Amino acid sequence: MEDYNKIIESLGVRFIKAKNLVLQQPFTVRNYYDVGNNLILLHKGSIFFGDEEQVVEEGELLFIPGGRSTKVTYGPTGEGKSITNDDLITNREKFFRSNNDLDLIGDAEESHSYVSFEAKVFDSVNFFASLDLPAFLISNNTKLANLVIKVVEENMQELPGKERLIGLYTEQIVVEIVRHILKNRMFVEQLATNSTYFKDPRLIDLFNYIKENLGGDLSNKVLSNVANVSEDYVGQYFKMLTGINPQDYIEYQRMERAVFLLRTTKKSIREIGKEVGYKDTAYFCRRFKMMFGIPAGKMRRRESAMNI
């Protein structure tokens, strides 16, 4: 239990967005994907997820970890078109209508609320992504459902302390998800592996160095000096403790930073690629599309598409 408390205490939680959405037409997105973690509360209607089309009942929550591709169906199965995540981002207003009336939350047929957030260990490692969790269902958790509604309600209003309360509620959401996982003994092996982050401070040094130097030289030679291990061993050492080789981890961090810059700045794609360590813009764009399934330019337009 002490290791889990350390994990929770170390988590840096950041709210990304929250909305109450009403389905306009049924559809299936074959490869739903987002950098942020998404917690979806189904008010009324139908949601199915995964290749086996597991049912989300009304009042249940679907948790989709950031960085995890998942098949999701909104509305009755077999009645809507099948689309890609790229199609959803580009034409989101065709599939969802955003409700901005507090009194109507949960009233519309085929409606749900969601909260998107990030949760990082030592502000460096995406916690849920590091566990390599699939999307999963959370049932009989009224407290978590109420927290989702509180975040959505606060986000709809312009009241004093809005950001403070949203931040507090989002942190509670993360704690409740971790508690749910522990209580139901879900993903035990992944959690046990994750706790190794706290058993070797050299790994934390590596996480922090990578975070602060995404645009610089992050070769195994450089990392070996940071961790004070041999260049030949540093890759094996990193993978032994995290389950991923360092260069794959570095690319994910660089791309995640690129997404943040695309969403929050007006810097050119060339500038962003260079800032996160890619001197060749064309190569950066190829790797970006390979990882996220859409071009960097469309990711930039994502926020306006999301704010329907």
Side-chain angles (χ1 to χ4, degrees):
M1 186 59 67
E2 182 181 353
D3 282 343
Y4 300 137
N5 283 329
K6 286 182 179 179
I7 290 173
I8 292 172
E9 289 300 316
S10 75
L11 289 177
V13 177
R14 184 178 70 88
F15 167 78
I16 299 176
K17 55 184 176 284
K19 285 188 178 296
N20 177 237
L21 297 178
V22 180
L23 187 67
Q24 297 291 82
Q25 60 173 300
F27 71 98
T28 295
V29 56
R30 299 189 295 272
N31 58 334
Y32 176 86
Y33 182 97
D34 198 356
V35 174
N37 305 287
N38 283 274
L39 183 63
I40 301 168
L41 169 63
L42 178 61
H43 297 298
K44 293 183 179 180
S46 307
I47 295 179
F48 305 85
F49 71 99
D51 292 335
E52 297 179 356
E53 297 188 332
Q54 187 173 347
V55 180
V56 181
E57 301 288 352
E58 294 178 358
E60 292 185 324
L61 300 112
L62 171 61
F63 181 60
I64 305 178
R68 186 81 185 204
S69 179
T70 308
K71 179 182 177 183
V72 183
T73 297
Y74 295 91
T77 57
E79 293 190 12
K81 61 175 65 176
S82 178
I83 65 172
T84 66
N85 199 56
D86 192 358
D87 296 329
L88 176 60
I89 292 170
T90 306
N91 303 293
R92 195 173 183 85
E93 69 281 354
K94 293 182 179 179
F95 300 103
F96 291 120
R97 172 175 59 83
S98 182
N99 167 49
N100 296 309
D101 188 333
L102 287 171
D103 295 330
L104 297 181
I105 294 177
D107 285 347
E109 296 298 325
E110 297 293 350
S111 66
H112 69 271
S113 293
Y114 78 93
V115 177
S116 179
F117 59 90
E118 69 175 26
K120 292 187 174 182
V121 179
F122 294 114
D123 202 29
S124 300
V125 181
N126 285 298
F127 175 63
F128 295 108
S130 72
L131 296 177
D132 195 27
L133 304 182
F136 63 89
L137 198 60
I138 299 176
S139 304
N140 303 315
N141 197 319
T142 305
K143 186 174 183 179
L144 199 47
N146 288 337
L147 284 168
V148 171
I149 293 173
K150 284 182 177 180
V151 173
V152 171
E153 289 178 340
E154 282 294 329
N155 200 47
M156 282 184 179
Q157 305 173 83
E158 294 299 328
L159 298 174
K162 168 183 173 178
E163 287 76 15
R164 181 71 179 271
L165 281 179
I166 286 177
L168 290 172
Y169 293 148
T170 306
E171 288 191 355
Q172 284 184 264
I173 283 174
V174 173
V175 172
E176 287 300 322
I177 292 173
V178 174
R179 285 179 173 179
H180 179 85
I181 290 172
L182 294 174
K183 179 180 178 181
N184 293 278
R185 296 192 58 77
M186 303 166 67
F187 318 117
V188 175
E189 291 183 8
Q190 292 96 320
L191 279 170
T193 300
N194 191 275
S195 67
T196 60
Y197 291 153
F198 307 98
K199 296 176 181 177
D200 193 332
R202 294 175 297 177
L203 188 59
I204 305 304
D205 290 341
L206 282 172
F207 289 150
N208 289 332
Y209 185 85
I210 290 169
K211 176 189 172 186
E212 298 299 326
N213 295 276
L214 285 176
D217 182 4
L218 292 174
S219 62
N220 280 3
K221 182 177 181 180
V222 172
L223 298 182
S224 68
N225 291 329
V226 175
N228 197 27
V229 297
S230 72
E231 182 179 351
D232 292 336
Y233 177 66
V234 69
Q236 179 183 343
Y237 161 77
F238 191 95
K239 187 170 184 178
M240 178 178 65
L241 293 180
T242 66
I244 185 173
N245 74 61
Q247 296 308 316
D248 286 345
Y249 170 78
I250 289 165
E251 181 168 54
Y252 183 85
Q253 295 299 312
R254 283 174 163 161
M255 290 300 181
E256 187 182 58
R257 176 65 181 171
V259 170
F260 174 79
L261 293 172
L262 286 165
R263 288 175 167 176
T264 60
T265 75
K266 294 183 179 180
K267 294 180 179 180
S268 69
I269 291 175
R270 180 181 180 183
E271 289 175 312
I272 290 173
K274 188 174 181 181
E275 186 170 330
V276 299
Y278 293 87
K279 296 179 181 179
D280 185 334
T281 304
Y283 179 70
F284 165 67
C285 290
R286 286 198 302 272
R287 295 302 298 172
F288 190 98
K289 185 174 183 180
M290 184 177 294
M291 180 168 288
F292 297 116
I294 60 173
K298 283 193 175 181
M299 180 65 80
R300 164 155 276 162
R301 295 192 292 273
R302 179 191 183 96
E303 286 305 293
S304 59
M306 293 293 284
N307 293 324
I308 56 177

